[in-house]
Amino acid sequence: MTQPWAVRPETAADRAAVRRVVTEAFPTPAEADLVDALRADPAWLPGLSWVATGPGGEIAGHALLTRCRIAEPGGRAGDAVALAPVAVRPARQRTGAGTAVVGAALDAARRAGETLAVVLGDPAYYPRFGFVPASRFGVRAPFEVPADALMALPLRDGPVPAGTIRYPAPFGV
Ligand SMILES: CC(C)(COP(=O)(O)OP(=O)(O)OC[C@H]1O[C@@H](n2cnc3c(N)ncnc32)[C@H](O)[C@@H]1OP(=O)(O)O)[C@@H](O)C(=O)NCCC(=O)NCCS
């Protein structure tokens, strides 16, 4: 059942709880390790790591946007933000926490003047936020992906960068 979720940017005090949520949501600790590595990377964008909290203030969901670049080979590179990972505690999934925390993180990116968000994920989930196939903008992944799994969302009016995504180093791609 969908319920209202409070959302806010993460604070330094949330790090352990975020790690627990991300660890629980995925089969291996790889995504939790990725979040911790991104926190120590220049790609980390203060204010764009968001949490959804339950009635007692406990963290149930997390969404992270970090800096990536998009460039044509030999051409100009433009800034974008990569949405990854998104995690909701299994016991709280399908109650609206993911929708609330992803929406809030994207709104914060809009307020910060970001141009474009990209996500590699389930094409059944992300269109609710306005994501469309990234190919519409000439945006490609640096590896083979199913065409509809790479999605992009312009965050303001005007041109968006085209080309291949360069993910932050901790993604290891
Ligand atoms: C994917 C995830 C973040 C969604 O968060 P959530 O809080 O469970 O989702 P919400 O409650 O906001 O949204 C529920 C809706 O999304 C759909 N949905 C949930 N998870 C989905 C998934 N993996 N694929 C497709 N649709 C999904 C539900 O069918 C539901 O649809 P409805 O609103 O039409 O009823 C969460 O399930 C999760 O953490 N999964 C494990 C980790 C993961 O796969 N993360 C995403 C890749 S980085």
Side-chain angles (χ1 to χ4, degrees), residues 5-25:
W5 287 95
V7 289
R8 60 171 176 77
E10 76 161 38
T11 69
D14 295 326
R15 288 178 189 178
V18 166
R19 187 173 171 88
R20 277 196 296 277
V21 168
V22 180
T23 303
E24 274 188 47

Side-chain angles (χ1 to χ4, degrees), residues 78-157:
D79 280 344
V81 289
L83 174 60
V86 180
V88 173
R89 288 186 60 197
R92 295 287 178 268
Q93 288 177 8
R94 308 216 163 196
T95 62
T99 300
V101 76
V102 170
L106 292 169
D107 284 344
R110 283 188 190 93
R111 291 195 298 275
E114 293 293 340
T115 304
L116 185 75
V118 294
V119 68
L120 180 60
D122 193 322
Y125 187 63
Y126 292 98
R128 72 188 57 214
F129 306 104
F131 280 97
V132 297
S135 56
R136 284 199 205 167
F137 305 103
V139 171
R140 299 177 297 273
F143 40 76
E144 286 294 316
V145 292
D148 57 354
L150 186 69
M151 291 163 273
L153 170 65
L155 297 172
R156 58 176 154 114
D157 292 337

Side-chain angles (χ1 to χ4, degrees), residues 69-73 77-78 138-143 150 161-167:
R69 304 272 287 163
I70 297 181
E72 295 288 6
V139 171
R140 299 177 297 273
F143 40 76
L150 186 69
T164 303
I165 302 167
R166 293 184 199 153
Y167 285 95

Side-chain angles (χ1 to χ4, degrees), residues 54-86:
E58 75 283 1
I59 293 176
H62 173 249
L64 179 60
L65 292 164
T66 53
R67 168 69 64 234
C68 65
R69 304 272 287 163
I70 297 181
E72 295 288 6
R76 281 187 311 131
D79 280 344
V81 289
L83 174 60
V86 180

